[in-house]
Amino acid sequence: MDGQTAAGMRYWTYGHGRRSTFLLVHGWCCDHDFMAPLARHLATRQDRVIAVDMPGHGASPPPADGYAVTAMAGHLRAFADALDLRRVFVIGHSLGGVWSLQAAAGDRDRFTALGLLDSAVAGAPGSAAAIAQVAASLREDTSGAVRESIVRAYFPPYSDPRLVERVVAATARPSTEVAYAPIAGLADWIAAEQDVAALRRWDRPLLFVGSNAPFADYARLAELAPQAFIGQTVGSGHFVQLQVPAQVDAMVDRYLEVTD
């Protein structure tokens, strides 16, 4: 299927349903193809499925307003508005989940369901400072060595080496700015406790799917969002939708069964 453009963002549509819309948002240094396994699964339903390239990622041009979480969330809301999407279930992986949470919490009329795949929300104390240090190291990483080491560390040792190398190659493509600026924006967002504010504003059931080393503190997430459904994958690193797609598909299906 060919990509199209709306609100300055490239997107790809799967399936031909019209009942509601699944909006799939990739994570750090990724593109829409990282969400393809989940998109193909959801396309079997009577719903529209859209996977985007966020600004500065994949085929979408860089944003004029930078990579702060609020700015990227604003682009998601502008995209949904441009296509007049209604009853949107937004599902974001990693940093894409952060952008999705901020977007959904700011427009609860349009966004009606929310899924976070191993996203950095409700983390342990000190997480903002640790993330800021990562951003600083990425800013100086002109060779890409730091970025590659981070990506490789996201996979447990028993991972399929072909998948690891595919992800390493794909995440090496974006510029140094795309590698560090969104992470710096994430650190600022968490330091200001905007994750806490967004979770409280959302105030609806959400799905959180964690990896073998989840970024979220599950107890804190349950306290901030007692309506959350928290799932833990078995045998998966950070890229849960690529490494154990059947587990993710099953959790999304069950969430839909109990919340529809």
Side-chain angles (χ1 to χ4, degrees):
M1 71 209 78
D2 295 329
Q4 298 174 280
T5 302
M9 291 167 56
R10 296 289 283 172
Y11 71 95
W12 286 255
T13 301
Y14 301 73
H16 303 286
R18 297 182 179 275
R19 186 175 58 179
S20 57
T21 301
F22 290 95
L23 180 57
L24 307 185
V25 185
H26 63 77
W28 172 69
C29 283
C30 299
D31 59 29
H32 73 280
D33 196 49
F34 279 71
M35 305 302 288
L38 181 57
R40 288 191 292 268
H41 171 72
L42 293 172
T44 62
R45 300 173 55 88
Q46 297 302 310
D47 303 282
R48 187 180 187 186
V49 183
I50 296 174
V52 297
D53 279 354
M54 290 295 288
H57 298 73
S60 294
D65 52 354
Y67 292 95
V69 170
T70 53
M72 296 295 272
H75 287 286
L76 269 179
R77 288 197 294 269
F79 175 84
D81 184 63
L83 292 182
D84 194 26
L85 302 181
R86 300 289 173 179
R87 294 188 61 195
V88 179
F89 180 4
V90 60
I91 304 176
H93 169 245
S94 187
L95 192 51
V98 169
W99 299 329
S100 298
L101 168 61
Q102 184 70 21
D107 189 352
R108 294 169 71 256
D109 291 332
R110 187 183 304 276
F111 296 92
T112 56
L114 174 64
L116 311 178
L117 307 182
D118 210 33
S119 298
V121 298
S127 58
I131 293 169
Q133 290 180 344
V134 171
S137 68
L138 288 166
R139 187 166 193 165
E140 305 301 321
D141 181 35
T142 56
S143 71
V146 172
R147 189 187 323 188
E148 179 177 344
S149 68
I150 290 171
V151 173
R152 289 189 182 279
Y154 284 154
F155 289 93
Y158 44 79
S159 300
D160 181 344
R162 294 168 298 180
L163 175 61
V164 175
E165 295 309 318
R166 178 161 68 88
V167 170
V168 167
T171 54
R173 294 185 193 121
S175 68
T176 299
E177 181 183 16
V178 172
Y180 82 78
I183 301 299
L186 173 63
D188 292 341
W189 187 73
I190 292 176
E193 296 192 338
Q194 290 301 300
D195 59 331
V196 173
L199 286 167
R200 287 176 173 161
R201 274 201 315 274
W202 175 245
D203 147 358
R204 291 174 176 168
L206 67 87
L207 172 66
F208 186 95
V209 179
S211 69
N212 63 326
F215 286 114
D217 179 322
Y218 289 164
R220 186 163 183 247
L221 176 59
E223 179 183 354
L224 292 170
Q227 73 282 9
F229 293 88
I230 301 173
Q232 172 72 53
T233 57
V234 176
S236 177
H238 179 55
F239 294 90
V240 290
Q241 78 280 15
L242 298 179
Q243 199 158 26
V244 289
Q247 293 185 42
V248 175
D249 294 348
M251 284 189 252
V252 171
D253 288 347
R254 183 57 177 161
Y255 170 84
L256 289 166
E257 287 174 9
V258 298
T259 59
D260 269 357

